[in-house]
Amino acid sequence: MKIATWNINSIRTRVEHVVNWLTQNPVDVLCLQETKVVDADFPREPFELLGYNLYLTGQKAYNGVAIFSRKPLEDVSTGFTTILANIQPDWDEQKRVITGVIDGVRIVNLYVPNGAAVGSEKYEYKLGWLRVLLEYLRSLLDLSPAICMCGDFNIALEAKDIHDNVIIENHIMASELERQALREILTLGFADAFRKFTNEGGHYSWWDYRAASFRRNLGWRIDHHYLTNVLYERAKSCTIDIAPRKLPQPSDHAPVILELE
C-alpha cells in the first residue's frame, strides 16, 4: 500500500498538477492539506475519473483537508468533536482533520496550524490545538492499533530538518514548546517513517516561495508520516518527491510517499 501526503496550497489552482502526479504515481491513498475550497466547489470529477473515492472537509480560501482513496474508506469522520464528545465545537471551525480506515489501516490526515509567531495569539491556538490532538489520538488508539498519522505538521522536530541559514531559537515551527507538544503526541506510540530510512539532514518537504529558497535548497521538513509500531514494522520506504516543486506555479510543499508491505 502506498500513502502520500501533500500540502497542495489550493486544489483548484493545482488540479492539473495533482492529476498528472497521480497518473505517474498511482498511490492507493493521497492525503491533501490546504485545499482552500468548500466541499460543494471541490473539483471532484478529474480525480473520480482516475478511480479515486473522495472524502473532504473544506472551507473557503483557507485550510481544508481531503483523502483520495482507490478503495472506499470505512469509518470516515472529520474534526475532533466526532470522536471527543467533551471538546468544544470551536476547535473544528477550521477544517484541519479527517480520518478513515482502509484495509485495517486508519489514516489520520492533519493540517496543523502554523502559529504565525512565537508568543502570538495564533501560536497559543496552535499549542491548544496540539493538546486537543493528543486527546483525539488517545481515543483513536482505543479503536485501532494501526494508525498512519500524516500531513503538514508545521513543526520541524530536529535541527537537521531545517536548513542551516535559520536561527532556530524562538522560530515558529521550531520553538521548544511546539516540539515538546509533538514529542508528547509521539510518546503515544508513533514513530517517524522517513527517519526509519534516512538519518541525514538536507531532506526537505517545504520551501518558502521567497528568496529563491527552492533553488538554494533552503527548506524545512515539516510534512510527515508518523506510524504506530504495527505499521512502522511494515514500512518499506518513505520518500520526498521534489519534482512537483519544480513545476510552474507549484505548491510550496512536495509530496511525501510512504510504502507499506
Side-chain angles (χ1 to χ4, degrees):
M1 181 191 299
K2 289 187 177 181
I3 305 166
T5 181
W6 190 2
N7 179 320
I8 198 58
N9 193 15
S10 177
I11 185 63
R12 288 188 292 182
T13 301
R14 300 185 174 86
V15 169
E16 186 176 350
H17 288 194
V18 181
V19 167
N20 290 341
W21 190 83
L22 284 172
T23 301
Q24 299 167 21
N25 303 272
V27 294
D28 301 287
V29 177
L30 174 62
C31 295
L32 297 177
Q33 303 86 41
E34 278 202 280
T35 54
K36 296 183 177 180
V37 62
V38 296
D39 295 353
D41 294 334
F42 196 100
R44 303 180 65 100
E45 184 177 8
F47 307 109
E48 291 174 339
L49 288 174
L50 289 176
Y52 286 95
N53 301 276
L54 274 58
Y55 305 89
L56 319 169
T57 181
Q59 63 189 90
K60 185 178 180 179
Y62 298 98
N63 307 317
V65 286
I67 301 177
F68 299 176
S69 177
R70 290 204 169 276
K71 293 182 179 180
L73 295 182
E74 300 175 350
D75 197 23
V76 176
S77 65
T78 62
F80 292 130
T81 55
T82 52
I83 304 297
L84 297 175
N86 61 327
I87 293 297
Q88 293 296 319
D90 292 353
W91 289 108
D92 286 337
E93 288 182 1
Q94 299 183 19
K95 307 304 182 184
R96 296 179 175 276
V97 181
I98 188 168
T99 184
V101 177
I102 177 173
D103 291 340
V105 175
R106 177 170 290 280
I107 310 293
V108 181
N109 179 17
L110 303 173
Y111 176 45
V112 176
N114 174 273
V118 173
S120 69
E121 183 177 335
K122 290 183 177 180
Y123 181 74
E124 296 303 321
Y125 177 86
K126 180 178 189 175
L127 296 177
W129 193 93
L130 289 167
R131 287 192 292 270
V132 176
L133 177 62
L134 178 70
E135 298 307 314
Y136 172 80
L137 291 168
R138 280 195 176 117
S139 296
L140 286 182
L141 284 164
D142 289 338
L143 302 174
S144 173
I147 296 179
C148 171
M149 173 176 58
C150 64
D152 177 0
F153 284 76
N154 271 313
I155 299 172
L157 201 54
E158 301 177 276
K160 64 183 177 181
D161 294 324
I162 311 170
H163 66 89
D164 292 339
N165 290 26
V166 173
I167 299 173
I168 295 175
E169 186 176 2
N170 288 326
H171 197 298
I172 194 65
M173 303 193 298
S175 72
E176 189 54 35
L177 288 180
E178 293 169 271
R179 288 175 166 180
Q180 286 177 4
L182 181 52
R183 289 189 190 107
E184 186 174 2
I185 287 168
L186 299 184
T187 61
L188 294 176
F190 292 92
D192 185 344
F194 185 80
R195 287 296 175 214
K196 179 177 179 179
F197 306 99
T198 309
N199 286 319
E200 70 269 20
H203 299 276
Y204 310 123
S205 62
W206 173 77
W207 301 259
D208 198 311
Y209 287 125
R210 299 168 294 183
S213 293
F214 181 69
R215 178 176 59 79
R216 299 165 63 198
N217 199 30
L218 302 180
W220 294 58
R221 193 176 72 91
I222 58 175
D223 302 88
H224 306 296
H225 289 273
Y226 290 117
L227 308 177
T228 52
N229 186 62
V230 65
L231 293 184
Y232 189 80
E233 296 301 318
R234 290 172 53 189
K236 294 177 61 177
S237 67
C238 188
T239 57
I240 301 169
D241 182 3
I242 66 171
R245 188 62 175 82
K246 300 175 182 178
L247 297 172
Q249 295 185 312
S251 168
D252 44 356
H253 294 252
V256 184
I257 307 99
L258 168 72
E259 184 173 8
L260 300 173
E261 287 184 350

